[in-house]
Amino acid sequence: MEYEPVIGLETHAELLTESKLWCRCSTRFGQAPNSQTCPVCLGMPGVLPVLNLQAFELALEAALALHCTINRTTFFDRKNYYYPDLPKNYQISQNYCNLGVDGYLEIPPDGDPRRVGILNVHLEEDAGKNLHVEYPGADYSLVDLNRAGTPLLEIVTAPDMHSVEEADSFMQTLRQVLLYTRVSDCKMQEGSLRFEASISMRPAGSDGLGPRVEIKNLNSMKAVRGALEYEIRRQTAALKEGKTLEQETRLWDEVRGRSGRMRSKEQAQDYRYFPEPDLLPIEVTDQTLERLRAAVPELPLARRWRFCREHGLSDYDAGVLTDQQEVADYFEACLEAHDAPKSIANWIMNEVLRVVNERQIPIGEFEVPPQRLAELVRLTDEGKINANVARDIMAKMIETGKDAPVLVEEAGVEQISDQAALEPVIDQVIDENPGAVRDYLGGKKQAIGPLVGQVMRLTRGKADPKLANRMLRARLDEMK
Ligand code: ZN
Ligand code: MN
């Protein structure tokens, strides 16, 4: 019997707001412990929460980007549990009426595009952080409540994914969508984007659902992939031995590369949800909804397909260029100045991205703005300079801030594409390199390489290498 996995993911994304969800404390990361707290986020008796409107609108925008139906009247609930990093002993979340339901996210396929169902999207507050003191004999932990009350978006998928690759593709695509909509900065190393997975196995091709295992403590996409692979192996082996699996929650151990039981179904928490009495229900007006709908940008996958369709790019190239919104914007701004998608795409992927990745800067900080890069590419497309020279010119553009045509003129590197101008050089190279000429005439076709190289050297890199190649072959073939 063959088995297939049934995978669902729960994502928590910290919203990109300046202040917390119920108070005005800053959400800035990496500040001194407990320096960004007040009576509200410390959960003091008698305080009242006031909703951060920007957080609510960001959550709504994300729900719209995920094609959810919006509950026009929504409210918050208390999720009760006791933990040292949760000073109120309850989390304000949504349980009975999520702000968005029944959406989907389209993920890029190996074959066909796939939709992963989104069961719900809701807004809640983050907890603080326990810091476990790590020295021998330490018998206490420390609590930092700077994060307590940070707005969190929770996104719950349907159990719609059937391989680790699909789950991975979902995570990557969701991250892109949250970045494109500027809902979250998605910095996983700062905990802005976190995942939990649930997985069960079933006989391949059937449509039942086995007892699901939830996996917590997944701090990176790599951890999610590792934990899912491990669970697929573990559950499949158990089923093949005739064992029955049970519903449980497991913790992933990244270092050991395995998961261990945290609690069984019997020990499952009862959160005793009830509507939050300190907050009024929220009604979303038509105007708000329309304004937010209009604010949702073209999403990464749609943009990728449009780049293939409108600009004739390969799916791979379109995927690279739309991975970051700023890069896709840069590309299209270049096209406005020089409508040559293929060569602009190659230049951005091979040269521009190489430079910005090396320097670890966003493309917005790259010294050559799109219009001026387009000018440079135009010079190469028109045969005025060759690709090697163009690379040097780009380096000089970064250094000096001058325009490509000016630098080409200054350096006197305009390409020699004039046949007549190259004739004497071709003659000279053939005279001076009898060895290579003999090799070529003797059938060693690759001997043309060094000869072209000599033409480039004699013209100080200015010759059009393709033309030089063609002329050399013609001349040598006459000599046969
Ligand atoms: Zn506060
Ligand atoms: Mn949650």
Side-chain angles (χ1 to χ4, degrees):
M1 173 105 71
E2 290 303 313
Y3 294 92
E4 67 176 7
V6 179
I7 299 167
L9 289 171
E10 260 182 47
T11 306
H12 284 96
E14 287 184 350
L15 295 174
L16 203 49
T17 56
E18 299 273 316
S19 58
K20 295 185 180 180
L21 190 49
W22 317 118
C23 61
R24 294 174 154 201
C25 291
S26 167
T27 54
R28 185 156 354 134
F29 182 81
Q31 302 306 106
N34 298 306
S35 63
Q36 298 177 160
T37 56
C38 72
V40 175
C41 54
L42 290 173
M44 296 294 183
V47 296
L48 290 171
V50 177
L51 177 67
N52 178 336
L53 185 62
Q54 200 208 351
F56 185 78
E57 293 197 347
L58 285 177
L60 262 184
E61 194 182 330
L64 288 168
L66 295 169
H67 308 99
C68 287
T69 303
I70 304 300
N71 276 316
R72 298 296 293 269
T73 302
T74 181
F75 56 90
F76 293 93
D77 304 297
R78 285 190 185 183
K79 179 179 180 177
N80 298 279
Y81 66 97
Y82 175 79
Y83 205 65
D85 65 11
L86 188 75
K88 297 195 294 283
N89 290 338
Y90 60 84
Q91 177 194 32
I92 303 179
S93 179
Q94 296 193 290
N95 182 56
Y96 298 112
C97 187
N98 296 293
L99 62 87
V101 294
D102 291 335
Y104 64 88
L105 176 67
E106 209 149 23
I107 59 173
D110 288 325
D112 292 320
R114 283 256 303 112
R115 278 182 184 186
V116 174
I118 304 290
L119 294 179
N120 74 69
V121 170
H122 63 261
L123 182 58
E124 61 186 28
E125 61 182 321
D126 208 347
K129 226 175 174 169
N130 291 332
L131 300 164
H132 302 293
V133 182
E134 283 179 13
Y135 65 84
D139 58 356
Y140 62 94
S141 288
L142 299 168
V143 185
D144 176 7
L145 294 172
N146 281 353
R147 200 176 69 178
T150 296
L152 264 190
L153 182 71
E154 182 172 330
I155 300 159
V156 183
T157 76
D160 270 356
M161 291 161 275
H162 300 289
S163 67
V164 177
E165 292 69 37
E166 270 186 0
D168 194 44
S169 183
F170 175 86
M171 292 189 288
Q172 309 278 2
T173 310
L174 179 63
R175 178 174 178 277
Q176 284 180 337
V177 168
L178 296 175
L179 285 171
Y180 264 60
T181 49
R182 294 185 169 78
V183 160
S184 173
D185 66 15
C186 294
K187 289 183 182 160
M188 296 202 71
Q189 67 282 12
E190 296 182 3
S192 300
L193 186 64
R194 285 129 47 191
F195 297 98
E196 286 170 17
S198 68
I199 174 167
S200 62
M201 302 298 294
R202 68 182 179 197
S206 69
D207 52 8
L209 289 175
R212 67 193 209 130
V213 170
E214 283 175 51
I215 317 166
K216 295 194 183 287
N217 201 32
L218 301 170
N219 296 319
S220 64
M221 294 192 197
K222 180 169 159 271
V224 176
R225 291 192 296 269
L228 288 174
E229 276 160 14
Y230 176 85
E231 274 304 302
I232 291 172
R233 278 198 308 276
R234 186 186 72 82
Q235 293 186 27
T236 305
L239 289 168
K240 287 196 167 165
E241 283 171 31
K243 291 182 186 155
T244 45
L245 292 162
E246 55 173 314
Q247 191 173 322
E248 60 176 335
T249 302
R250 297 176 73 87
L251 275 184
W252 175 242
D253 184 335
E254 177 86 59
V255 180
R256 293 208 175 91
R258 65 184 190 214
S259 64
R261 169 174 282 192
M262 184 178 143
R263 57 178 176 244
S264 68
K265 189 182 181 183
E266 285 69 40
Q267 298 158 307
Q269 300 228 20
D270 174 4
Y271 293 115
R272 301 166 354 265
Y273 282 102
F274 62 84
E276 167 60 57
D278 289 341
L279 288 162
L280 290 168
I282 301 159
E283 278 183 40
V284 181
T285 63
D286 291 343
Q287 293 94 310
T288 302
L289 205 56
E290 284 324 302
R291 178 167 51 80
L292 293 174
R293 213 184 283 283
V296 175
E298 183 183 24
L299 296 179
L301 201 54
R303 201 166 189 187
R304 176 166 163 177
W305 288 333
R306 182 170 64 77
F307 277 17
C308 294
R309 209 170 55 235
E310 277 180 15
H311 303 315
L313 299 184
S314 70
D315 183 59
Y316 175 82
D317 290 0
V320 173
L321 292 172
T322 54
D323 182 45
Q324 294 174 51
Q325 192 174 34
E326 293 73 16
V327 174
D329 290 346
Y330 185 95
F331 170 73
E332 294 210 293
C334 286
L335 292 188
E336 275 172 34
H338 177 48
D339 190 19
K342 194 62 203 158
S343 45
I344 296 277
N346 283 337
W347 263 86
I348 293 177
M349 293 193 303
N350 298 331
E351 305 302 328
V352 178
L353 290 181
R354 181 178 52 79
V355 172
V356 299
N357 291 342
E358 257 168 30
R359 286 162 55 194
Q360 301 192 326
I361 54 167
I363 199 166
E365 284 172 27
F366 183 57
E367 289 83 350
V368 183
Q371 293 74 10
R372 299 168 73 193
L373 185 89
E375 258 180 351
L376 176 68
V377 179
R378 182 198 293 278
L379 290 175
T380 64
D381 284 350
E382 290 173 350
K384 298 244 167 65
I385 52 175
N386 66 44
N388 281 327
V389 168
R391 273 188 283 275
D392 293 343
I393 295 288
M394 189 176 91
K396 288 201 187 101
M397 290 170 83
I398 295 172
E399 222 176 272
T400 64
K402 291 185 187 171
D403 288 339
V406 174
L407 288 165
V408 168
E409 171 124 17
E410 277 179 9
V413 287
E414 212 156 311
Q415 178 163 273
I416 308 173
S417 328
D418 173 0
Q419 197 149 337
L422 275 186
E423 292 287 356
V425 185
I426 301 283
D427 288 342
Q428 186 185 347
V429 168
I430 288 178
D431 279 352
E432 287 176 358
N433 297 278
V437 168
R438 222 176 9 256
D439 288 348
Y440 181 85
L441 293 175
K444 273 178 79 180
K445 295 288 177 211
Q446 68 271 34
I448 199 79
L451 293 171
V452 174
Q454 288 302 315
V455 175
M456 299 308 290
R457 191 182 62 84
L458 288 173
T459 57
R460 290 184 300 121
K462 293 194 291 184
D464 173 352
K466 285 197 197 100
L467 177 63
N469 192 305
R470 217 163 43 235
M471 288 174 68
L472 275 165
R473 278 177 202 279
R475 185 66 58 82
L476 290 166
D477 288 343
E478 281 168 19
M479 291 166 70
K480 270 184 185 165

